[in-house]
Amino acid sequence: MASDLKAEQLGKKVLTRFTRRIVDQVFLFIQNDPELFQEYQDAVRESTSNGVNSVLGRMITEAYDLINLNKEKRPESRLLKKYTRHAVRWEKEDLQLQKKVMYGDQDLFSLKPVPDKPEKKGKKEKKLRKRGPEQESLFQE
């Protein structure tokens, strides 16, 4: 059982580090595969490198259901000038759990318990709306 926990900790560490660099790794893969590199160059000729890279970056984020983090300005792939780093979804949940363990039900600044909001009877819940333009999936359904 202890070895399972160590294996899981290793897995999270590996996946966290890899996911932060996944965009760079995909572009290195394209760069090192002659067929994919030729298709990439053809797409860039019809558009721009920024356009092609942006579409591929969004597809990576969507395909793996990743969270956007900060920008990396020193990629290994020569096809990129910069790229967005990513995190896996459970990493966000881990951070929220750590905060809850550290602060409990207390407000971070006042250190007073945060009161629960009473439910309003008879009112419908508002749907949260995304701000900005709606984007369709880049994948065919």
Side-chain angles (χ1 to χ4, degrees):
M1 290 297 168
S3 64
D4 289 348
L5 180 59
K6 283 192 176 220
E8 187 175 320
Q9 288 172 338
L10 172 64
K12 281 189 172 189
K13 188 179 211 177
V14 168
L15 291 171
T16 296
R17 286 186 187 177
F18 180 79
T19 302
R20 289 190 197 283
R21 299 178 12 185
I22 194 168
V23 172
D24 200 21
Q25 293 300 307
V26 167
F27 278 86
L28 283 169
F29 184 77
I30 292 169
Q31 179 180 309
N32 294 323
D33 183 297
E35 180 185 348
L36 292 175
F37 185 63
Q38 184 61 51
E39 285 185 50
Y40 173 84
Q41 288 179 318
D42 293 344
V44 166
R45 273 192 288 281
E46 290 181 24
S47 177
T48 65
S49 60
N50 286 343
V52 173
N53 293 359
S54 179
V55 168
L56 292 175
R58 282 195 319 266
M59 290 181 76
I60 293 164
T61 302
E62 187 175 329
Y64 293 99
D65 193 27
L66 302 173
I67 300 167
N68 290 345
L69 296 174
N70 58 332
K71 297 285 186 197
E72 171 59 54
K73 295 180 180 166
R74 291 176 287 158
E76 287 182 47
S77 173
R78 60 184 159 83
L79 303 177
L80 297 168
K81 293 179 184 169
K82 62 183 179 180
Y83 66 92
T84 302
R85 288 178 173 258
H86 295 92
V88 288
R89 293 271 171 205
W90 47 257
E91 193 175 355
K92 183 177 181 183
E93 292 167 7
D94 286 350
L95 292 173
Q96 289 170 339
L97 181 62
Q98 287 172 6
K99 286 180 186 175
K100 188 163 182 88
V101 168
M102 286 172 50
Y103 301 110
D105 291 329
Q106 305 222 338
D107 180 76
L108 182 60
F109 297 104
S110 67
L111 293 179
K112 294 179 185 173
V114 176
D116 290 335
K117 291 183 182 179
E119 287 187 31
K120 294 180 183 178
K121 293 182 181 177
K123 289 195 174 187
K124 292 181 181 177
E125 287 185 33
K126 277 188 173 180
K127 283 187 177 180
L128 293 178
R129 225 179 68 190
K130 288 183 179 179
R131 294 180 186 250
E134 294 286 326
Q135 281 190 333
E136 292 184 24
S137 172
L138 297 171
F139 297 98
Q140 300 295 328
E141 293 187 23

